[in-house]
Amino acid sequence: KSGLDPGGAWHAWGMACLKAGNLSSAREKFNRCLKPPMDLNQLNHGSRLVQDVIQYLESTVKPILIADDDYFATLRELEATLRTRSLSLEMMCEGKIQHNSYYQECLFYLHSYGTNLAIISFYMRHDCMREALLHLLNKESPSEVFIEGIFIPSYESGKLHMLENLLETIDPGLESWGVYLIAACKYLQRKNYYHILYELQQFMKDHVRAAMTCIRFFTHGAKSYTELGGKQTWLLKIKDHLKVYLQELSRSSGRKKVAFTFRKKMSATDVSRHINTVDLQMEVTKFLHRCESSGTSQMTGSSLPTLFGNNNMKTDVACKVMLEGKNIEEGFGIAFRVLQDFQLEATEVYSKVAKQLVKQQKYGEIRQLLKCVNESGVAAKNDGDNIILNCLNEFKNIPAEDLDNLIQDMDSDENKIQAYVMCNKLRSAYLVSVRQEKSRAVQLVQHVRQLAENSGDDVVKAICAQWL
């Protein structure tokens, strides 16, 4: 009469019937106020009213058998009960749930008015993981339901191995779980749960991604190569994963195409290249670990460079190896392989090292660097000269004798003249200029005279004028 919503009254009446143990009557009352959710895959447990019913039923475990209770049931209610039972028959747990009418009621209400997440969570609460998984597959629920309802409760309660065993039992190839497993991996990565992630990737036999996780274990948080020296087992594990992947690749190439849809793919060439990178990183780690232990290590950077980073980081590794040995020659071989393997810009790396040596006042080492570069067999004609020219920006800090020695080591007279001009040594620039072929000498001496005039060096200006 007053136009109020009768839902609340039906719900209260239904709850009263439940508490009185009259389950069939309660179903009839609840049928008038409970509605199935619009989207069965929404990430919640359904309406508050349904949750209240389930909560009450779960807290009241009375060993009444369905047959006793349904003595008063109408044929329509009996039919509904049978329909619900057949719905969940294939997923029925052995033991208490199967034989307890209150649990059967829970399943009736969940299947009639609950979300897939609510049904799955119910199974998980009562140790029916297999039923939860089968329900997920049968309903083709999205991966969020798997994460929320099955995966998180499994690892939080230490049942990850049990989950993995069941996934394998239901589908030995794991293909039907692919989308769920990838979603679980992404979730763990977001949460930074890398140890669980690695465990899962090994179960999935996803060797390429497992190798990537090992790279993170190797590099993450290390502040020195002494620390990395203690983490070398991760490098061995990376190699193991990649080798197993290579074996699988060669086995499957002989057969018809195998669908490894969710495992990360990589070409055999790329895998071999990565194995080489790991081998080289092992050499770098052993070398720099030894340098740090013996105290020859000089450089301290904010981040620790490894060969698993971008090209800038690989360049830093090559520089670090050359600069941290007892002398340039000791680390040059490894650094040279880094430059070759990753096709880095060699002159740029050598120039960077030379500038660092100027800062460290190791001028003799610069000459040793040039010797190594020339003997490497792949240096271009002017590489040595360019390295010296690049570090002459710091000429004010280089003692005169060392500066002269460096410029004398240059191959090309043109470059020597350029170097002397850079260092304001105009007299020396004049002396090299006059040794050139006549027409070129005239141009060079005129240029030196002009510079002498601009800088107010009357002596050199007079010498140039006299020669001209």
Side-chain angles (χ1 to χ4, degrees):
K1 282 179 182 177
S2 57
L4 293 172
D5 177 22
W10 285 116
H11 188 260
W13 196 351
M15 288 304 283
C17 292
L18 273 189
K19 286 170 186 175
N22 190 348
L23 302 185
S24 53
S25 233
R27 285 190 185 190
E28 188 199 335
K29 308 300 179 277
F30 285 129
N31 188 38
R32 295 170 184 269
C33 62
L34 298 180
K35 290 183 180 64
M38 297 287 282
D39 175 13
L40 288 173
N41 286 320
Q42 58 198 44
L43 284 182
N44 58 41
H45 289 257
S47 72
R48 185 68 253 173
L49 300 180
V50 177
Q51 289 179 54
D52 288 346
V53 172
I54 301 301
Q55 216 170 341
Y56 174 76
L57 286 168
E58 281 186 304
S59 65
T60 316
V61 184
K62 285 188 181 178
I64 305 172
L65 293 173
I66 284 177
D68 301 342
D69 188 58
D70 281 359
Y71 182 76
F72 303 104
T74 62
L75 280 172
R76 194 168 50 78
E77 287 167 334
L78 190 59
E79 194 185 341
T81 309
L82 289 170
R83 194 168 65 245
T84 313
R85 288 207 64 181
S86 67
L87 238 184
S88 53
L89 196 61
E90 69 208 77
M91 300 186 266
M92 194 64 71
C93 269
E94 289 303 316
K96 60 180 181 180
I97 290 191
Q98 200 167 10
H99 301 303
N100 189 291
S101 62
Y102 276 71
Y103 283 115
Q104 286 308 313
E105 284 303 294
C106 285
L107 285 175
F108 168 77
Y109 286 109
L110 286 169
H111 279 288
S112 304
Y113 312 109
T115 60
N116 284 326
L117 181 60
I119 296 167
I120 284 167
S121 299
F122 173 80
Y123 282 132
M124 290 295 286
R125 277 199 302 281
H126 298 288
D127 295 328
C128 297
M129 194 187 282
R130 181 187 168 81
E131 287 67 25
L133 288 167
L134 288 172
H135 184 84
L136 180 87
L137 269 192
N138 291 344
K139 300 295 176 187
E140 295 179 352
S141 293
S143 47
E144 291 81 8
V145 174
F146 170 73
I147 302 286
E148 200 72 31
I150 298 175
F151 186 69
I152 295 175
S154 294
Y155 78 71
E156 284 183 347
S157 59
K159 291 180 181 169
L160 192 57
H161 281 300
M162 184 179 164
L163 172 62
E164 289 172 352
N165 290 339
L166 278 169
L167 293 175
E168 217 163 18
T169 308
I170 295 168
D171 176 4
L174 299 179
E175 285 304 318
S176 45
W177 304 116
V179 66
Y180 299 119
L181 289 169
I182 292 296
C185 289
K186 285 179 180 168
Y187 166 81
L188 291 170
Q189 206 163 356
R190 279 199 307 275
K191 289 283 190 180
N192 287 333
Y193 295 162
Y194 283 93
H195 287 281
I196 304 175
L197 173 65
Y198 183 51
E199 151 77 35
L200 191 62
Q201 286 167 337
Q202 289 180 94
F203 161 72
M204 291 158 66
K205 297 184 176 58
D206 194 347
H207 294 292
V208 176
R209 287 195 181 96
M212 288 158 77
T213 305
C214 290
I215 290 174
R216 191 193 182 274
F217 284 134
F218 175 70
T219 55
H220 186 68
K223 296 281 187 288
S224 69
Y225 261 88
T226 307
E227 277 181 53
L228 286 184
K231 296 168 96 176
Q232 287 185 77
T233 47
W234 288 115
L235 292 177
L236 295 170
K237 285 185 179 177
I238 298 168
K239 269 184 79 170
D240 289 344
H241 285 300
L242 294 177
K243 280 178 177 173
V244 172
Y245 180 76
L246 265 186
Q247 286 166 3
E248 285 181 0
L249 215 55
S250 62
R251 274 204 300 272
S252 63
S253 64
R255 299 197 303 266
K256 285 181 183 173
K257 205 160 176 63
V258 187
F260 290 124
T261 44
F262 63 92
R263 297 178 182 97
K264 190 168 178 66
K265 292 187 181 69
M266 195 178 271
S267 71
T269 320
D270 283 349
V271 176
S272 301
R273 207 179 64 245
H274 286 305
I275 290 174
N276 287 341
T277 301
V278 174
D279 285 335
L280 197 48
Q281 180 62 54
M282 278 176 134
E283 276 194 61
V284 167
T285 306
K286 282 173 187 162
F287 178 77
L288 291 175
H289 181 203
R290 198 170 65 242
C291 294
E292 284 180 6
S293 307
S294 64
T296 57
S297 175
Q298 298 275 342
M299 289 173 75
T300 46
S302 50
S303 68
L304 199 62
T306 68
L307 298 177
F308 300 119
N310 57 19
N311 275 1
N312 288 343
M313 203 183 246
K314 286 165 185 157
T315 298
D316 289 346
V317 171
C319 293
K320 196 172 172 66
V321 168
M322 278 190 266
L323 289 164
E324 298 215 356
K326 288 198 287 288
N327 51 43
I328 287 292
E329 206 169 350
E330 193 186 16
F332 187 83
I334 297 175
F336 184 70
R337 274 180 56 204
V338 172
L339 298 180
Q340 292 287 295
D341 280 13
F342 301 107
Q343 297 176 336
L344 301 176
E345 191 50 65
T347 316
E348 190 186 309
V349 176
Y350 298 142
S351 299
K352 212 172 169 183
V353 171
K355 283 177 183 171
Q356 200 66 34
L357 290 169
V358 170
K359 278 186 189 163
Q360 294 173 12
Q361 299 180 343
K362 293 182 175 177
Y363 309 110
E365 292 286 303
I366 297 176
R367 299 178 81 180
Q368 194 181 28
L369 171 66
L370 296 173
K371 180 171 168 280
C372 290
V373 171
N374 289 331
E375 288 173 358
S376 68
V378 293
K381 188 166 180 271
N382 276 335
D383 276 1
D385 289 7
N386 289 334
I387 292 165
I388 294 173
L389 285 171
N390 279 330
C391 64
L392 287 184
N393 299 329
E394 314 284 333
F395 76 90
K396 292 187 181 71
N397 306 327
I398 305 175
E401 190 184 340
D402 291 305
L403 191 58
D404 275 336
N405 287 340
L406 283 175
I407 296 174
Q408 288 299 324
D409 280 346
M410 287 179 144
D411 292 325
S412 144
D413 280 350
E414 294 273 343
N415 287 334
K416 281 181 186 174
I417 295 164
Q418 190 185 338
Y420 282 129
V421 167
M422 275 174 79
C423 304
N424 295 332
K425 289 178 171 284
L426 297 181
R427 186 186 174 87
S428 301
Y430 161 77
L431 290 172
V432 180
S433 298
V434 295
R435 294 207 303 266
Q436 307 310 304
E437 182 266 321
K438 201 54 139 209
S439 59
R440 180 66 183 138
V442 171
Q443 289 175 335
L444 290 167
V445 173
Q446 282 174 336
H447 178 57
V448 172
R449 182 180 68 171
Q450 187 60 52
L451 290 171
E453 195 175 323
N454 294 348
S455 61
D457 190 338
D458 294 335
V459 179
V460 174
K461 181 186 165 189
I463 295 171
C464 290
Q466 188 182 350
W467 186 88
L468 287 165

